[in-house]
Amino acid sequence: MTGLRRVVVTGVGMVSPLGAGVENSWKRLLNAESGIGTIQGFDASHLPSTIGGEVPIVGGVRADDPFALDTETVMPDKERRRVDPITIYALAAATEAVDMSGWKPQDEEAQNRTGVMIGSGIGGIQSFTDAVETVMTKGARRLSPFAIPAILVNLPSGHISMKYGFRGPNHANSTACTTGTHAIGDSARMIALGDADVMVAGGTEHGIIEIGVAGFCAARALSTKYNDSPAEASRPWDRGRDGFVMGSGSGVLVLEELEHARARGANILAEVRGYGMSGDAHHITAPPEDGNGGRRAMANALRSGGMNVEDIDYVNAHGTSTPLGDLAEFRAVRELFGEHRKAMSMSSTKSAVGHALGAAGALEAIFCLMAIRDQVAPPTLNLSDPEDDIDMDLVPNQPRERQIRATVSNSFGFGGTNGSVIFSTFNG
């Protein structure tokens, strides 16, 4: 971001439907594996959509997955019962990210200069529904004193800060499906402006519960045609798409001021080069058909980084697998990038993990960082019959090795809120 302190990434952590850990999820994504299946966390058979990208849990949902998350290593059992899954996921991802970064300050000033910003699109909805059920069936006096803290959107940030003693900016955002991208971009700006030297930033979500799935079914937003073949349900830009697939998980990045990272000899993964936002002012759930809000968010990100369209090699699309949204995003890319789009690659990793709502942007930001590291664009699964007018590389079904100097990660949310963040190789 030009004219401001430079911001780099020194650690990443992830819990996704492809398993616990960044390397596990990335390897499986490049192997074109899917983390989407029939919902196991509750009986969804009475709903129009029975498909979800659930996080595999040791001793719980999808327990046979070799990369299932062992929640006992995240928090003691007594404490886990007092928090929502969004906090468990965020703590697991943050632990991996902080360990990778090697940043665990013990002196007061360094702790005061390290902040946390983990957002969630819908917060502790599991804890909220559990609390309502307790009140309705057992009475209000049986409600746990931890019910309200478990629901709050900012508690993942709070728990991470308490675990490590990070006493800088302690924040949380909730901007629907743009949450994760906004958390990363806003945290980078805090560092760029001098409010902190290090920020632990990202998103977390656990929305695959009955009220969550039923609510999106009522809005006719979810895929319903692929209940018998769930791994095929998320198919961005494919003619057979009929809605998105809900996902869960958490993605966390350690962002750091460049000179701070250099001074301690940190391993720099990439640089945060640009961040842009916009509003559609159009509709509560649908984007304008020409995608002008998404186009303006990407343009603002390029402007903030002093970059040209030719600098971008890969776009990780919002790409939810909805009939309107996928085409609107392509039109935004076509309008902004022009002929250069034909030299780029764009894919949607939601085809493998579903749409993790407030965590989606953080998961996809990490996939962008891995793409830069390994110089490979991850695939769009299930893309067998693309729309006719899409004249660019959508990385169908298999990864593509290619030069990737800079990436754009897009997130667009209900209410017309848009965000784009740009990462690039670090060039000293």
Side-chain angles (χ1 to χ4, degrees):
M1 291 179 278
T2 57
L4 301 169
R5 301 201 306 170
R6 292 171 69 182
V7 181
V8 296
V9 184
T10 57
V12 289
M14 176 183 291
V15 173
S16 85
L18 289 171
V22 171
E23 296 296 345
N24 294 332
S25 294
W26 178 240
K27 180 179 179 180
R28 297 178 90 172
L29 177 61
L30 295 186
N31 286 337
E33 297 181 44
S34 175
I36 296 170
T38 300
I39 293 172
Q40 297 183 16
F42 70 96
D43 182 5
S45 60
H46 61 295
L47 296 175
S49 178
T50 62
I51 307 163
E54 296 172 292
V55 171
I57 303 291
V58 172
V61 169
R62 294 177 55 202
D64 58 343
D65 191 291
F67 301 112
L69 174 65
D70 186 352
T71 58
E72 291 185 4
T73 66
V74 181
M75 291 181 90
D77 183 63
K78 183 178 180 180
E79 293 183 33
R80 287 203 315 278
R81 292 197 297 268
R82 298 173 177 175
V83 302
D84 193 83
I86 62 171
T87 294
I88 299 295
Y89 298 163
L91 274 169
T95 298
E96 182 183 15
V98 170
D99 285 348
M100 181 185 294
S101 75
W103 180 244
K104 299 180 182 179
Q106 300 302 309
D107 64 284
E108 183 175 347
E109 178 58 23
Q111 291 175 333
N112 291 345
R113 298 289 298 169
T114 304
V116 185
M117 186 172 181
I118 308 295
S120 178
I122 53 179
I125 191 171
Q126 176 72 71
S127 296
F128 180 82
T129 55
D130 289 347
V132 170
E133 183 177 0
T134 295
V135 171
M136 298 299 293
T137 59
K138 299 179 181 179
R141 290 182 178 273
R142 295 294 299 276
L143 200 60
S144 166
F146 301 100
I148 296 301
I151 294 167
L152 297 177
V153 172
N154 69 304
L155 261 290
S157 291
H159 278 279
I160 292 167
S161 70
M162 288 183 284
K163 176 175 179 176
Y164 292 105
F166 295 155
R167 296 185 295 197
N170 189 286
H171 202 353
N173 62 316
S174 185
T175 48
C177 303
T178 314
T179 296
T181 294
H182 280 161
I184 294 165
D186 290 347
S187 292
R189 283 191 171 170
M190 288 181 186
I191 295 171
L193 291 168
D195 296 323
D197 294 326
V198 180
M199 288 293 295
V200 179
T204 185
E205 206 78 88
H206 176 75
I208 306 179
I209 63 171
E210 186 169 13
I211 191 172
V213 177
F216 280 112
C217 281
R220 297 186 178 181
L222 300 184
S223 173
T224 59
K225 295 198 308 187
Y226 299 92
N227 288 331
D228 293 332
S229 52
E232 300 176 10
S234 184
R235 44 196 319 115
W237 302 294
D238 190 87
R239 293 177 193 274
R241 69 192 186 280
D242 71 322
F244 76 84
V245 174
M246 287 185 70
S248 288
S250 178
V252 173
L253 289 70
V254 176
L255 306 179
E256 193 164 347
E257 192 271 326
L258 173 57
E259 296 308 321
H260 185 278
R262 277 176 166 161
R264 68 183 188 89
N267 179 44
I268 295 174
L269 302 177
E271 182 171 0
V272 183
R273 285 292 303 278
Y275 172 48
M277 298 174 283
S278 72
D280 289 339
H282 175 72
H283 189 272
I284 60 170
T285 59
E289 290 189 7
D290 64 359
N292 75 79
R295 175 188 57 78
R296 288 183 285 112
M298 289 185 284
N300 290 338
L302 287 167
R303 186 179 304 112
S304 79
M307 303 179 75
N308 300 313
V309 294
E310 291 81 12
D311 296 323
I312 304 301
D313 295 313
Y314 170 69
V315 175
N316 190 296
H318 184 59
T320 59
S321 187
T322 59
L324 176 60
D326 290 1
L327 284 179
E329 185 170 11
F330 167 71
R331 290 165 185 152
V333 169
R334 180 177 61 192
E335 176 68 19
L336 179 63
F337 289 93
E339 286 300 304
H340 178 64
R341 73 185 183 278
K342 297 177 183 178
M344 298 162 48
S345 294
M346 179 168 71
S347 67
S348 173
T349 48
K350 287 183 178 75
S351 59
V353 298
H355 185 7
L357 310 179
L363 295 175
E364 291 152 15
I366 295 172
F367 289 143
C368 282
L369 294 167
M370 296 298 100
I372 290 171
R373 184 194 71 178
D374 294 346
Q375 295 291 284
V376 58
T380 302
L381 303 188
N382 303 312
L383 183 53
S384 57
D385 188 17
E387 297 278 358
D388 280 340
D389 62 346
I390 299 182
D391 54 350
M392 65 180 298
D393 175 31
L394 299 178
V395 200
N397 302 310
Q398 294 295 325
R400 187 180 311 287
E401 293 184 2
R402 59 158 298 153
Q403 180 187 45
I404 300 180
R405 302 161 298 166
T407 68
V408 173
S409 182
N410 285 334
S411 294
F412 313 135
F414 281 5
T417 178
N418 309 305
S420 299
V421 63
I422 298 175
F423 300 98
S424 73
T425 54
F426 174 67
N427 296 314

